[in-house]
Amino acid sequence: MTIPTELIGSIPRPPELQAAMAAHGAGEIDDAAFAEVQQQAVSDTIRRLEETGSPVVTDGEQSKPSFVTYPIAGSSQLAPAGAVIPFADGHQRQLPVLTGGPFRYQAHAVDYLRAAQALATVPVKQAVIAPSAMSLLYPSEPIDGYPREAFLADLINEAEADIRSCLDAGAQSVQLDFTEGRLSLKLDPSGGVLDQFIELNNQVLERFSAEERAKIGVHTCPGGDQDSTHSLDVDYTGLLPKMLQLKAGNFYVQLASEPDPEKVLAVIAEYLPTDARVFVGVIDPIDPRVETPEEVRDRVLAAARHLPVDRLGTCDDCGFSPFADDTSTSRETAFAKIKARLEGTRLAAEQLGV
């Protein structure tokens, strides 16, 4: 396909995996039995993605507890009552809070990547959490003997290792999930927190060569959990000019659910770096209706009126189940939407003559 197209990452977990998650949490099955069910879900996910004709796949994040907490699962240096993520429908997600140092990742994304590569017959991309999201773990009051500066130095090293190990293992691309970027403007409209996030993420990205950064992307969206968002009401014009300063080669931008996509596309066209590609969201995972290929085609053609086709790609707005317990979208709906994205992108490419 001449216009590249990729999914963002997560796919809804099958009922068998949901049941195993509950049983494992209750101590009814051991780690080995749980891992076997996870492996079966990964295998089924990759098989079904390849059956849609996806040129690039992921493991669907079937084994991740969530897109954000995978590096810290099982850590003994955490306590509850960390940063709260409020969603528009009233529900919340809450991060833990760090209680001591040094800060170390307990799991690395390369392990998920290698498991997927062993099953896939096409290239595999890997999503990782942006260091800016992990920075929210540090409490407002300093930790005795472990100042914030030391934590950030450790975090930068850990985030670099998480990305680099995936590149070294042959990932087709590595995608930093940066959903907290748009949320930061809701919590701090002055943009100060966003500026801190951009600076921190760039401290990691600047450790990579230009060739490596060409395979690194950043994903932004207003959140997606239980068919709700946390920051869709935040104007993109406050985020994108700063986000596009990140030293990445690819940007994955939620757009299908945006109320004024033409306005957003104009901002992207103005600020997109000359050596970067933008993947525009053409599928809304929260909308239960499956888009038609023709709708997708028209969304791609609209983007092509603002952006050079050779710097354009397509994606879904967000993962279909970023948190493991989110069952608001079925697997069948997710795969049908992915198929529509693929077919609609192909139709647009044909009409554009590329």
Side-chain angles (χ1 to χ4, degrees), residues 129-212:
I129 190 61
S132 50
M134 289 289 95
S135 72
L136 297 172
L137 297 174
Y138 196 85
S140 56
E141 294 296 324
I143 297 173
D144 186 30
Y146 191 55
R148 182 175 179 82
E149 293 75 15
F151 162 72
L152 291 177
D154 287 341
L155 171 58
I156 289 168
N157 288 335
E158 292 297 294
E160 178 194 1
D162 206 32
I163 299 167
R164 190 173 298 284
S165 60
C166 292
L167 292 176
D168 290 346
Q172 181 267 350
S173 60
V174 178
Q175 169 193 293
L176 276 67
D177 287 324
F178 185 51
T179 183
E180 69 277 7
R182 197 165 178 178
L183 178 62
S184 73
L185 289 172
K186 188 170 188 175
L187 303 178
D188 174 24
S190 75
V193 172
L194 176 59
D195 288 341
Q196 293 173 19
F197 283 171
I198 298 297
E199 181 182 1
L200 175 61
N201 290 339
N202 268 339
Q203 287 184 63
V204 175
L205 292 169
E206 287 165 355
R207 295 187 173 192
F208 294 89
S209 68
E211 292 76 17
E212 290 168 331

Side-chain angles (χ1 to χ4, degrees), residues 27-109:
E28 296 170 0
I29 62 173
D30 61 18
D31 291 348
F34 184 39
E36 182 177 349
V37 179
Q38 289 176 315
Q39 175 71 3
Q40 291 170 352
V42 171
S43 178
D44 181 71
T45 298
I46 291 174
R47 176 185 62 80
R48 294 184 67 175
L49 285 172
E50 291 191 350
E51 286 175 352
T52 68
S54 294
V56 179
V57 300
T58 75
D59 68 349
E61 301 188 356
Q62 303 295 285
S63 302
K64 281 185 179 179
S66 80
F67 78 105
V68 65
T69 59
Y70 74 88
I72 55 174
S75 173
S76 61
Q77 295 179 316
L78 298 172
V84 172
I85 304 171
F87 284 81
D89 65 356
H91 87 276
Q92 298 179 340
R93 294 285 184 175
Q94 188 169 32
L95 296 176
V97 64
L98 194 68
T99 60
F103 176 71
R104 296 289 184 269
Y105 280 18
Q106 305 300 299
H108 288 87

Side-chain angles (χ1 to χ4, degrees), residues 209-266:
S209 68
E211 292 76 17
E212 290 168 331
R213 288 198 296 269
K215 293 185 176 182
I216 299 174
V218 178
H219 168 238
T220 183
C221 74
D225 183 43
Q226 299 177 19
D227 283 348
S228 186
T229 63
H230 55 54
S231 52
L232 187 59
D233 54 338
V234 174
D235 194 329
Y236 251 152
T237 59
L239 170 67
L240 290 175
K242 293 185 177 182
M243 193 193 85
L244 292 170
Q245 295 173 13
L246 289 169
K247 309 296 185 181
N250 301 291
F251 293 92
Y252 303 86
V253 179
Q254 163 266 345
L255 194 63
S257 58
E258 196 64 23
D260 190 354
E262 295 286 340
K263 176 182 176 181
V264 177
L265 287 165

Side-chain angles (χ1 to χ4, degrees), residues 8 17 26 62 67 115 124 172 214 223 230 237 268 288 311 322 330 350:
I8 292 302
L17 180 52
Q62 303 295 285
F67 78 105
V124 181
Q172 181 267 350
H230 55 54
T237 59
I268 295 172
R311 298 171 63 201
S330 71
E350 287 182 354

